[in-house]
Amino acid sequence: MMAGARLSLALLCLVAAALTGGAGATRKMVGVYVLRKGDFSVKITNWGATIMSVVLPDSKGNLADVVLGKDTIAEYVNDTSYFGPVNGRVAQRIARGRFVLDGKVYHTYINDGKNAIHGGHRGFSKVIWTVKEYVGGGDSPYITLYYHSFDGEQGFPGDLDAYVTYQLSSPYVLAVRMNATALNKATPVNFLQHTYWNLGGQGSGDVLGHTLQLSASRYTPLDEELLPSSGVVAPVAGTPYDFRAPTPIGARIRQVMGGRIAGYDINYVIDGDAHGMRKVAAARDGASGRALELWANQPAMQLYTGNWLNNTKGKDGKVYGQYGGFCLETQGYVDAVNHPEFPSMTVRPGQVYKHDMVFKFSF
């Protein structure tokens, strides 16, 4: 049996054990939860704290789902594209799955070539979160999810309590609030929300015609393993990474490599106060008139343009080709655990990690 098949089987068994109260499992139910405010709705599952859909109108009032994803929970269990989950304990890559903290060497689960990515093979995107609160309608529908990450999970030190809240407000605003508390050991923490957006509607084609503007005058160059091997922060001016003015995503996409394939998979340093809420990005689809603004309080953001999508089965019979969606992943610097020149992502006992995002939609 191939490694990928064994992993999928193990994850399916994990869900089955949790649903049935099997050996070693806490009884947790995997469900789908809808937040609805008028003609604006968001669907969430507590499998991976995943955004399954975001439905809103276009400039003519036509509704569409603007999030790439899957039809069933089982398909999310088997998903390798990270459609919509919260990634952690440390999202993005850790070089060789190794870091040193307070003089001790830690080895995390390697699941991306020679490196770790998105918290390991069973990171926060591959676990069942507990639903703490859920209000599906009203003036401000929301859901709060909780996950306890144990000391040593995927190689990370210390117990960690993690929460994520998704909340709708008017007009057409989705707020995402992520926080975590280190309980007994210092640990690195870097969450990100990995939704793929296509403002024309999921499965409607590629996003190369979407215009994108980023509040980022600098970026961290990455090597072919998508690691910042040099630790350099460079200006975007004069490079294909410059989105300071609204620019079609596809305008220079063939000039950049996201690892071994053409496309963006790059970390930007966001201008302004690294800990304050500020505008990070704005995107617009001219055909539908839909637009989004992203505000966040993190120092960096990974732009990913769905480079590895390749006739990937999606929702409602749709098939996603290359560049079928884009991700705006606010975060700490990539591999900061191995780069003391980058802002630290270490959270010490009693400290609280806070990561807030606000998506403002218009049409």
Side-chain angles (χ1 to χ4, degrees):
M1 184 184 293
M2 296 178 62
R6 288 196 299 269
L7 175 58
S8 296
L9 179 59
L11 289 169
L12 285 169
C13 289
L14 169 67
V15 174
L19 290 174
T20 60
T26 300
R27 185 175 178 84
K28 297 180 183 178
M29 300 301 293
V30 177
V32 177
Y33 303 85
V34 178
L35 309 178
R36 189 182 307 278
K37 189 172 180 64
D39 57 3
F40 180 37
S41 65
V42 175
K43 188 182 296 183
I44 307 291
T45 176
N46 58 323
W47 174 259
T50 298
I51 295 178
M52 300 177 70
S53 71
V54 174
V55 175
L56 70 157
D58 65 8
S59 58
K60 298 179 180 178
N62 299 312
L63 296 177
D65 180 0
V66 297
V67 165
L68 276 59
K70 299 291 187 177
D71 286 320
T72 67
I73 299 299
E75 289 174 295
Y76 279 98
V77 171
N78 290 314
D79 171 43
T80 59
S81 298
Y82 297 97
F83 284 126
V86 169
N87 290 333
R89 175 179 308 194
V90 174
Q92 287 303 339
R93 291 166 176 83
I94 297 177
R96 307 302 182 257
R98 177 189 182 277
F99 64 92
V100 179
L101 181 56
D102 294 339
K104 183 174 180 179
V105 178
Y106 293 93
H107 296 276
T108 65
Y109 194 98
I110 291 173
N111 59 328
D112 183 53
K114 299 177 181 179
N115 308 305
I117 189 172
H118 296 329
H121 82 299
R122 188 173 173 264
F124 289 3
S125 63
K126 296 296 184 184
V127 298
I128 303 170
W129 294 60
T130 299
V131 179
K132 301 295 285 186
E133 295 182 89
Y134 169 56
V135 177
D139 290 337
S140 192
Y142 71 97
I143 186 169
T144 296
L145 305 169
Y146 163 77
Y147 179 68
H148 175 77
S149 179
F150 58 86
D151 183 15
E153 185 173 19
Q154 298 295 292
F156 292 101
D159 292 288
L160 188 79
D161 281 343
Y163 292 85
V164 58
T165 296
Y166 296 105
Q167 187 168 22
L168 307 189
S169 61
S170 181
Y172 302 100
V173 172
L174 167 62
V176 183
R177 297 188 296 276
M178 297 180 277
N179 66 77
T181 302
L183 300 183
N184 44 33
K185 293 181 183 178
T187 183
V189 178
N190 183 41
F191 297 173
L192 64 79
Q193 217 296 326
H194 205 281
T195 291
Y196 291 72
W197 303 99
N198 185 324
L199 298 174
Q202 64 94 19
S204 63
D206 64 52
V207 295
L208 299 181
H210 283 48
T211 58
L212 179 66
Q213 184 175 20
L214 302 179
S215 303
S217 55
R218 298 177 298 157
Y219 75 111
T220 55
L222 305 178
D223 62 20
E224 65 180 11
E225 292 184 283
L226 297 172
L227 289 164
S229 57
S230 64
V232 169
V233 177
V236 299
T239 76
Y241 300 105
D242 191 348
F243 282 94
R244 290 174 296 170
T247 305
I249 289 175
R252 301 181 295 258
I253 199 167
R254 301 295 178 183
Q255 300 176 38
V256 298
M257 297 296 289
R260 302 180 303 278
I261 193 167
Y264 293 96
D265 197 349
I266 193 73
N267 178 60
Y268 286 88
V269 177
I270 305 305
D271 297 337
D273 179 3
H275 302 290
M277 288 295 289
R278 63 214 186 280
K279 184 177 176 181
V280 172
R284 186 176 186 276
D285 171 48
S288 67
R290 293 191 189 92
L292 73 78
E293 283 186 2
L294 170 59
W295 294 65
N297 65 349
Q298 294 299 291
M301 187 205 75
Q302 191 92 358
L303 170 64
Y304 175 56
T305 48
N307 312 333
W308 292 97
L309 297 177
N310 181 18
N311 295 323
T312 303
K313 181 179 180 295
K315 294 181 284 190
D316 304 324
K318 303 291 187 180
V319 176
Y320 307 142
Q322 190 179 43
Y323 316 128
F326 65 97
C327 302
L328 303 172
E329 308 164 18
T330 57
Q331 61 178 2
Y333 286 40
V334 177
D335 198 29
V337 291
N338 290 308
H339 290 272
E341 67 274 24
F342 290 163
S344 173
M345 61 175 58
T346 299
V347 178
R348 297 192 174 276
Q351 292 183 336
V352 179
Y353 163 88
K354 294 183 178 181
H355 183 166
D356 297 330
M357 309 171 69
V358 176
F359 294 94
K360 301 179 180 180
F361 299 96
S362 59
F363 43 87

